[in-house]
Each structure stands twice: as structure tokens, then as C-alpha cells.
Amino acid sequence: MRRDQMLMEAILGQLLQSPEPLVGTSSIAQRLNVELPVIRHHLHLLQDKGLVQESENGAWRLTNQGHDYMEGSPEQGVSLNLPSQ
């Protein structure tokens, strides 16, 4: 499965805009109208970057680093793009 940078940004946006601190994977999938396995894959990629964390019950939250990324420009936070090889 290919990584979709725009989808990762949309997932982060959903977590940031949520009135609840924890959001379930299926809720994110419904809100973005994307299949559940695709959302799971991208949440794990975001977790690899330290931007989100999964709770014991399977819901997700933005980490402090995730908030920093969303509040600033990618140059100030953590870029989701990999360096060119």
C-alpha cells in the first residue's frame, strides 16, 4: 500500500478538530470516507513519526509532537515527507 501524504494530513486534522481527546479508527474512516485498512495503515505511519499514539482500547490521540506539527508549519514541526534519496 502506498503512503498518501494528504490522507495523513487529513487524519491529523480530524484528530485535532475532534471534541474528544481519543478518536476511534472507524470514526476517522467514516469521517474521511476511506476504507478502514487504509486508515489503520496511515495511523501506524503517523505513529512511526511520533505524531499520534494508540491507546489500549484502540482509539487514537495526537501527541504533543503532533500538536506542534499541526500548529506550525512543517518546517517548524516534523515533515511528513521523507528526504530525497
Side-chain angles (χ1 to χ4, degrees):
M1 179 179 306
R2 297 198 85 145
R3 182 178 55 177
D4 183 334
Q5 304 290 344
M6 290 179 66
L7 178 57
M8 288 193 285
E9 291 279 349
I11 291 169
L12 291 172
Q14 288 297 312
L15 292 172
L16 182 65
Q17 294 172 9
S18 174
E20 299 296 323
L22 297 171
V23 181
T25 309
S26 59
S27 178
I28 297 168
Q30 281 181 324
R31 292 177 189 174
L32 296 176
N33 196 27
V34 176
E35 293 179 15
L36 197 56
V38 175
I39 294 295
R40 273 194 204 111
H41 174 69
H42 285 81
L43 280 165
H44 285 116
L45 291 173
L46 289 165
Q47 187 175 33
D48 292 345
K49 289 280 193 187
L51 302 178
V52 300
Q53 183 176 19
E54 187 175 16
S55 68
E56 290 180 15
N57 66 359
W60 294 86
R61 69 173 185 88
L62 274 179
T63 63
N64 193 48
Q65 188 172 348
H67 279 279
D68 288 346
Y69 174 82
M70 292 303 289
E71 291 170 2
S73 67
E75 293 79 28
Q76 294 171 316
V78 176
S79 174
L80 294 177
N81 295 318
L82 293 176
S84 300
Q85 296 182 357

